[in-house]
Amino acid sequence: MDSVIPVTALCITLTVLGAVFTLYTVARPKDEHEIKQALSTYEDEDGKASPAAIAAFDDLPPRLVLIFSLLIALIASIISLYLSYAWLEWTRWVSVAAWLLILVQVAALHAVKSPVLRYNIGFSVAFQSAVIALYTLYNRSDDFWSELSIFPVAQGFFGSLSALAALSLPRRPEVERDGKVVDAQYTIAALSRYTMAWARPILDKALVAGGLEYTDLAILDSSMIVANLHRRFHIAAAANTKNTHLFYTIFKANQSLFVRLWGLTILECCANFLPQVCMFKILELLEKRDSGEGPVDKAVWLWVAGLCIAKMSYLGFNGWVSWIRWCLINVTVSKQLAAVIFDKSMRVKDVKLVKSVVEVTENRPSSRCTTNTAPNDELTPLLPKSVSKIITEPNTSEEGQQETGNSNDETSQNAINLLTVAIPKVKWFASLNFTLLTGTIETILGVVFLIFLIGVRATFAGLLIVLVMQPLSKFLQQRYSAAEDAVMDARESKTHVVTEALHGIRMIKISAIEDQWQKTIMDARDCEIRALRRSIVWGFTMTLAWMCLPIVFSTVSLGVYAYLNGGLTASAAFTALAVFSSLDNALGDIPLFITTMTDALVGSKRIQDHLNNSDQINYRSVGENVKFQNATISWPTDREHSKEMFVLRNINLEFPNASLRHDTLCLSSFQCR
C-alpha cells in the first residue's frame, strides 16, 4: 500500500515520543510538590488524603492487567513474524519493537511512587497501545482471510485491553479539605472521568432518596474556589493596561480552560466530517462493485468500521465540549466576575445621588423614551435641592447627559445591575465563543470537501450567495446591537426609578402621591417593553436571514453541479447533502454567536467601567485623639462639589479623649476631605 510508509512513520514517532516522556518523568528530579504527592503522604492543592483513604487506594489490579495484555500482544507479534517467514518485512518488526518499547515503559511505571505521575504515564501508554493496535489491524488486514488471522486480531484485542487498563489507573487517593471530601473529578481514573462515570454515585443516591441535601455534595476542587478565582483575575489584570478589554483579562485568568475548549473543538470539527468521508468511500466502492470493477467487500467493511469509530469519537468530543463550556467556563466566569464586582463595590464611594433622565435611543436621536423620577412638583420638597434640580431640570446637552448619566455608576444598585444583567451576558458569550471557531473550521473543511465532490464552479456558485448576503447581515447586526443597547438603558432606568420609590416609600405614602409614582414606574416599564420589542424584531430578522442562507447555498450548488454534469451520482449527491447539513449547523450558529457577542460587549463595557472607577481615598490618619483639621464634609459623590450640594467646608473640630460614647453622632457616612 502507498500509505504504509507514512502511517508507519507516524506510529514510530508517537511511540518514541511517548517513551521519551515516560523515561523523562521517571528519571527527572522531583520537586517538593511532587514529593508530597507520594502515596504514603499524599497532599496537593485540593487537600490531604487521610490514612484510611491511602489504605483504600489500590492501583495494582489495572497494572497487572496492563502487563499481562502487553505480554500477550508482544508474543502474538513475535509468533506472527515467525510463522509468516517474512523476516525481511520491516513492518512486522515495527510492531514487535513497538510492543516491546511499551512494555519497558510499563515496567518503569512500577518505579514511580507518585500516583499522579503513574496516572500521567498510564495515559501516555494507553494512547500508544491504541495507536499500535490500530496500526497492526490496518497493516495486517490481508491476513484476516488466512490461517494467520488470529495473530493480528490478538494484537488488536489485547492492545485495546492494555489501553483500557492504563486508563483505569486511579489518579490519587480520596482527599479532604476542612474535614469534607473533595469532588472526585480529579481523583478517579481517566476512563471514569472522561466517560462521566464519576458522577454516577451521587446520581444514584438522588434517584434512591428522591433528592439531595447540601451535605450530600462534595466540596469543589481548588480551581473553583472563589478566592482562587479572584486572585487569578487580579493577577491577569495586573499584567495588562487599564484599556485592556475585559474579555482578554478573562481569557488570561482562565486560559487553560479556553485552550482546552478550543483544542477539543478542533478535534470535534474534524471528527464531524470523518463520517462523510467514510460514507463517500462506501458509496463509491459500492458503485464500483455494481459496475463490475472487481470485489471490494473487504475495503467496504474497513470503511464501515471507520464510520463507527468516527461517530463514537464525535460523540465523545461533543460531550466534553459541552461539559467544559457549561460546567467549567460558565460557572468559573460567573463566580469570578461576581467576586471581582463585589470586591470593587466595597472599595468605591457609596454614592447616593439619583440618576437623572435616561434617554433610550435606538442609535438615533429621534427615538426617545424619557422617564422622570419626580412626577410633579409635589415630590421636590421631599428631596435635597441638588437632587431635585437634577430630576426636574435634566441637562439636555451631550456633555451634561454624559455627566449625569454616569453619576450613579458607583452605587450598590449599579453593582446589583451588573450581577443580574451584565454577568449573565458575559458568561453566556464565554461559554459560546467556540462557535466562531467551529463555524470557521467546519466551513473551511466543508468547502474543501465540496470542491472535491462537486467541483469548483458549483461550490463557488453557492458561496456567491453568502457574499451577497453579507451587507444585509452587517446591517441587521448593527440594528440589533443598537436595539440591545437600548434595552440595557431602559432596564437600568426602570431599576433606578423603582429603587428610588422603594427608598422613599414612607414619604410617598405620607404625601399621598402613590398614583403619580405608579404612573412613573409604569412609564419606565413601557419604555423597557418597547425597547425589548425592537430588540426581538431585529434579532428574529437577523436569525431568519442566516437560517435561509444554508438552504439557498445547497440548492444553488447542487443545481449548478447537475446542470454542468448532466446529473448526480449517488456518492456525490448523498455525501454533498450530508456536508450541506453540517454547514447548515455551522452557519446556523453564527447568528447566535453574533447576538451573544453583541450582548456581551454591552455588558462587558459596563463591568469594565465599574472596575475602572477610582477607589475611595482614606483621609484618616492615626493619632492621639479624634479631630478634624480644615476638613470638607459632604455626602459621598464622584463629582466635584457644586454650589447646590450640601457641603461643610473648613471644619476644625477636636474631641477630647474619652469623650466619645456609643450614642455619639456617627459621621462615618459622610465623605471627608
Side-chain angles (χ1 to χ4, degrees), residues 259-440:
V259 170
R260 198 189 316 172
L261 174 65
W262 297 338
L264 288 174
T265 299
I266 295 175
L267 295 177
E268 180 192 13
C269 293
C270 296
N272 188 28
F273 275 92
L274 287 179
Q276 282 84 342
V277 175
C278 296
M279 184 176 66
F280 173 73
K281 298 300 294 185
I282 292 172
L283 294 174
E284 189 179 45
L285 290 173
L286 292 177
E287 289 176 353
K288 290 181 179 181
R289 186 189 64 180
D290 294 339
S291 62
E293 296 185 14
V296 292
D297 292 339
K298 181 175 66 173
V300 168
W301 283 111
L302 290 177
W303 284 109
V304 169
L307 179 63
C308 296
I309 295 175
K311 279 290 186 180
M312 294 176 62
S313 300
Y314 172 74
L315 292 176
F317 290 136
N318 180 262
W320 263 93
V321 166
S322 300
W323 167 258
I324 292 176
R325 56 188 274 213
W326 295 121
C327 296
L328 295 183
I329 291 181
N330 189 286
V331 176
T332 298
V333 172
S334 177
K335 294 170 61 176
Q336 196 170 56
L337 291 179
V340 172
I341 291 174
F342 179 80
D343 177 63
K344 185 66 178 182
S345 301
M346 299 298 292
R347 294 185 284 110
V348 297
K349 302 173 185 177
D350 187 16
V351 181
K352 300 296 185 183
L353 288 181
V354 182
K355 193 175 182 180
S356 66
V357 175
V358 178
E359 296 183 359
V360 180
T361 65
E362 190 187 349
N363 205 23
R364 56 180 185 272
S366 59
S367 175
R368 287 188 67 169
C369 179
T370 61
T371 58
N372 291 331
T373 56
N376 52 28
D377 294 337
E378 295 182 19
L379 181 62
T380 53
L382 305 179
L383 300 174
K385 182 179 179 181
S386 59
V387 178
S388 175
K389 184 173 182 179
I390 292 176
I391 295 176
T392 57
E393 300 178 5
N395 192 345
T396 57
S397 65
E398 182 178 356
E399 181 180 358
Q401 290 175 5
Q402 182 178 4
E403 180 184 359
T404 57
N406 292 333
S407 64
N408 207 19
D409 283 347
E410 296 176 352
T411 60
S412 59
Q413 184 59 48
N414 182 62
I416 295 175
N417 291 338
L418 295 178
L419 293 173
T420 57
V421 179
I423 286 183
K425 296 181 180 298
V426 174
K427 74 174 183 179
W428 183 262
F429 175 71
S431 303
L432 294 177
N433 71 87
F434 76 101
T435 54
L436 178 62
L437 181 63
T438 301
T440 303

Side-chain angles (χ1 to χ4, degrees), residues 1 5 38 112 116 121 273 303 325 456 469 487 493 500 548 648 651 669 671:
M1 298 181 183
I5 295 179
V112 179
V116 176
I121 295 174
F273 275 92
W303 284 109
R325 56 188 274 213
V456 177
M469 291 284 291
V487 172
S493 175
E500 184 63 23
C548 295
L648 296 177
I651 301 299
S669 299
Q671 175 183 356

Side-chain angles (χ1 to χ4, degrees), residues 421-667:
V421 179
I423 286 183
K425 296 181 180 298
V426 174
K427 74 174 183 179
W428 183 262
F429 175 71
S431 303
L432 294 177
N433 71 87
F434 76 101
T435 54
L436 178 62
L437 181 63
T438 301
T440 303
I441 295 177
E442 290 191 354
T443 301
I444 294 175
L445 293 176
V447 169
V448 172
F449 199 14
L450 286 175
I451 292 175
F452 172 76
L453 283 175
I454 60 179
V456 177
R457 288 185 291 180
T459 302
F460 280 92
L463 291 176
L464 184 62
I465 302 298
V466 179
L467 296 178
V468 172
M469 291 284 291
Q470 287 305 310
L472 177 62
S473 174
K474 185 176 181 180
F475 170 77
L476 294 176
Q477 178 185 353
Q478 291 175 348
R479 304 308 296 174
Y480 176 77
S481 177
E484 190 63 27
D485 199 7
V487 172
M488 295 284 288
D489 289 339
R491 285 176 176 171
E492 189 169 318
S493 175
K494 181 202 67 175
T495 303
H496 282 289
V497 173
V498 174
T499 302
E500 184 63 23
L502 292 175
H503 287 171
I505 189 66
R506 296 179 62 185
M507 299 303 298
I508 292 174
K509 299 289 287 185
I510 293 174
S511 304
I513 54 176
E514 297 93 332
D515 294 338
Q516 293 92 325
W517 271 101
Q518 182 179 0
K519 182 179 182 301
T520 302
I521 294 174
M522 294 307 298
D523 289 343
R525 176 59 178 163
D526 292 340
C527 175
E528 179 190 9
I529 292 176
R530 289 195 296 271
L532 184 61
R533 183 183 298 112
R534 288 193 297 269
S535 174
I536 293 175
V537 169
W538 286 114
F540 172 78
T541 306
M542 183 177 64
T543 303
L544 181 63
W546 276 100
M547 290 179 64
C548 295
L549 184 59
I551 300 175
V552 179
F553 180 26
S554 59
T555 303
V556 172
S557 298
L558 289 179
V560 172
Y561 176 79
Y563 174 77
L564 295 176
N565 296 274
L568 287 171
T569 61
S571 58
F574 286 104
T575 308
L577 289 175
V579 174
F580 283 129
S581 178
S582 299
L583 288 177
D584 187 3
N585 295 331
L587 296 177
D589 290 337
I590 293 180
L592 178 62
F593 173 81
I594 294 175
T595 55
T596 306
M597 181 184 65
T598 304
D599 297 345
L601 286 174
V602 177
S604 65
K605 183 179 182 303
R606 295 173 182 269
I607 295 176
Q608 190 67 60
D609 292 341
H610 179 73
L611 298 180
N612 289 339
N613 288 331
S614 301
D615 292 347
Q616 183 176 6
I617 301 176
N618 186 8
Y619 293 94
R620 294 171 296 182
S621 60
V622 179
E624 297 179 354
N625 54 0
V626 179
K627 66 179 180 179
F628 295 89
Q629 197 170 34
N630 294 327
T632 300
I633 302 176
S634 69
W635 294 108
T637 178
D638 56 354
R639 296 181 296 168
E640 294 296 329
H641 293 154
S642 60
K643 295 181 180 180
E644 293 82 3
M645 296 183 63
F646 177 78
V647 179
L648 296 177
R649 305 178 186 274
N650 302 323
I651 301 299
N652 291 282
L653 181 63
E654 183 174 354
F655 295 91
N657 292 335
S659 63
L660 291 177
R661 303 187 307 273
H662 67 277
D663 55 349
T664 304
L665 175 64
C666 179
L667 300 177

